[in-house]
Amino acid sequence: MVLLTIDLIAKSPKHFKKKRGLSLPDYLQTLTHLHFSSRNIEDIGDLSMCRNLTVLYLYDNQITHISNIGFASNLTHLYMQNNNITHIDNLSNLQKLSKLYLGGNRIAVVEGLEQLPELKELHLENQRLAPGEKLLFDPRTLASVAESLSVLNINTNNIDDIRDISILKELQYFSAAGNKLHNIEELQGVCSHWPQLLQMDLRGNPVCKTAKYRDCLITVCESLEVLDGREINEVTRQFLINWKASKEAKKKNSKHMLPGPMIPYPVINDFNSSQGPHSHIQHRASVQQWRPQHTLRAKPFPTPVSGLLTHAAVPTAQCSSVDA
């Protein structure tokens, strides 16, 4: 097993050249950056003499646990992607940690970040999870970084719901490509809590196939500059925002319009009101049977004067046909 220790640092050709006559303890105190990536390291030993470390590179190794780095109170950047880490722990003393890279590990729950008030970037992409598992978030951790986190990368982690992370109101860069997000309404609701969001990448999610997907997100995220790798044209954004506002205004106005009064029967003059309470039904029937005739001035009557007496009793239907 390869263990990262003071002796391993001392034997490293790269660090040996920088030592230049200094004693080992003095040299270790001058170290601010420690590069030990791709060394098959499985565990971290006692490095407490490197108390001034600010950046630690341990990516592409075989580390299974985050341990023995609590001494590094000045650490700002920690690179531990592509290891075999299963839990995020032992970071509580890293009060100045700003960037944490843990992509490509075996982490199933995002936790253990409650004591990191300065954390601004969190990279958790491509976790090697068991079949059926998805990356989950501890609410306590989310609440603790809600005021500081501005960059979050959770690509390819089988995630189908991101409502929990809507609490991260300081987000400016969000990447969740290659997941299983599918609900455009939920996505819009989450994005409405991120007023400072500048870039977002959701490529490879089912939601991207939703009609008007891009338009919907542009109108919700008014500060968004890049969506799925494509810049947002300011003219297009303003048009969509104005269109949405106009549509909502019309919808609001339509709700205030009241329907007209309903009239159950035609309005008629009831001259026989003394016939009783159902007299209006009889009058309605009589009105429906009566058809007004066109005046004789509209079209001369074709029957000669001598035949008026003969044709005086012409049926109503025949008169209608002639006048038409």
Side-chain angles (χ1 to χ4, degrees):
M1 181 178 76
V2 180
L3 182 67
L4 178 57
T5 62
I6 296 298
D7 289 339
L8 188 63
I9 296 174
K11 294 177 182 177
S12 171
K14 181 176 182 180
H15 290 283
F16 183 77
K17 291 180 181 179
K18 292 182 178 180
K19 190 169 177 288
R20 294 183 179 180
L22 290 174
S23 65
L24 182 59
D26 290 341
Y27 169 67
L28 293 174
Q29 290 185 22
T30 66
L31 281 179
T32 57
H33 292 60
L34 196 58
H35 298 262
F36 274 89
S37 58
S38 303
R39 300 288 190 93
N40 292 317
I41 295 172
E42 298 178 39
D43 205 353
I44 304 172
D46 182 6
L47 304 178
S48 57
M49 295 180 71
C50 307
R51 63 185 61 191
N52 289 312
L53 275 182
T54 57
V55 181
L56 179 57
Y57 296 95
L58 292 173
Y59 58 87
D60 294 340
N61 283 296
Q62 303 296 323
I63 299 171
T64 56
H65 294 90
I66 303 175
S67 59
N68 293 326
I69 60 173
F71 69 91
S73 58
N74 292 315
L75 198 68
T76 59
H77 295 56
L78 179 58
Y79 297 83
M80 298 189 73
Q81 61 268 43
N82 299 327
N83 280 279
N84 290 315
I85 299 169
T86 57
H87 295 88
I88 305 175
D89 48 17
N90 298 319
L91 298 177
S92 58
N93 290 334
L94 309 184
Q95 298 291 305
K96 296 182 181 179
L97 190 64
S98 174
K99 298 182 180 182
L100 178 58
Y101 293 81
L102 292 171
N105 281 284
R106 301 181 183 276
I107 299 166
V109 180
V110 182
E111 57 188 350
L113 307 178
E114 292 80 9
Q115 305 298 322
L116 305 180
E118 299 295 325
L119 190 65
K120 289 181 171 43
E121 295 190 22
L122 181 58
H123 301 263
L124 294 161
E125 71 282 0
N126 305 319
Q127 297 300 315
R128 290 170 285 158
L129 302 173
E133 280 191 335
K134 63 180 179 180
L135 188 66
L136 301 175
F137 295 85
D138 184 341
R140 294 169 299 179
T141 279
L142 291 175
S144 65
V145 299
E147 301 290 337
S148 63
L149 200 66
S150 61
V151 178
L152 178 61
N153 184 346
I154 52 174
N155 291 347
T156 321
N157 283 310
N158 298 323
I159 297 171
D160 56 6
D161 189 343
I162 58 171
R163 285 177 292 181
D164 288 347
I165 64 175
S166 62
I167 193 176
L168 305 177
K169 61 183 180 180
E170 298 297 322
L171 272 189
Q172 297 181 21
Y173 301 88
F174 176 62
S175 187
N179 282 292
K180 297 181 179 179
L181 302 175
H182 61 279
N183 192 311
I184 186 63
E185 287 80 13
E186 289 183 2
L187 187 58
Q188 286 179 286
V190 171
C191 292
S192 67
H193 291 85
W194 297 338
Q196 302 184 59
L197 192 65
L198 299 176
Q199 295 187 24
M200 180 163 62
D201 190 352
L202 300 174
R203 285 175 286 189
N205 282 277
V207 71
C208 297
K209 298 180 181 179
T210 304
K212 304 283 185 184
Y213 152 79
R214 188 174 176 86
D215 294 353
C216 289
L217 293 184
I218 291 176
T219 55
V220 171
C221 308
E222 297 188 10
S223 62
L224 197 63
E225 297 177 352
V226 180
L227 176 59
D228 297 343
R230 292 169 51 195
E231 290 188 5
I232 296 173
N233 182 280
E234 192 59 35
V235 175
T236 301
R237 184 210 307 281
Q238 200 57 50
F239 168 79
L240 292 172
I241 291 175
N242 293 340
W243 173 81
K244 181 183 178 183
S246 175
K247 184 178 179 181
E248 290 178 348
K250 289 181 179 178
K251 186 176 180 180
K252 183 178 181 180
N253 290 335
S254 66
K255 289 182 179 179
H256 288 82
M257 294 179 62
L258 298 176
M262 301 298 293
I263 303 176
Y265 299 106
V267 178
I268 61 175
N269 291 324
D270 190 356
F271 294 104
N272 299 311
S273 58
S274 61
Q275 293 181 0
H278 302 291
S279 60
H280 65 279
I281 299 178
Q282 297 175 1
H283 287 295
R284 182 185 178 204
S286 64
V287 170
Q288 289 177 343
Q289 292 175 357
W290 180 79
R291 296 181 181 179
Q293 303 299 322
H294 294 288
T295 178
L296 293 179
R297 294 179 182 177
K299 188 175 184 181
F301 200 83
T303 306
V305 175
S306 59
L308 284 175
L309 296 176
T310 306
H311 298 280
V314 176
T316 303
Q318 183 176 348
C319 288
S320 299
S321 175
V322 171
D323 289 343

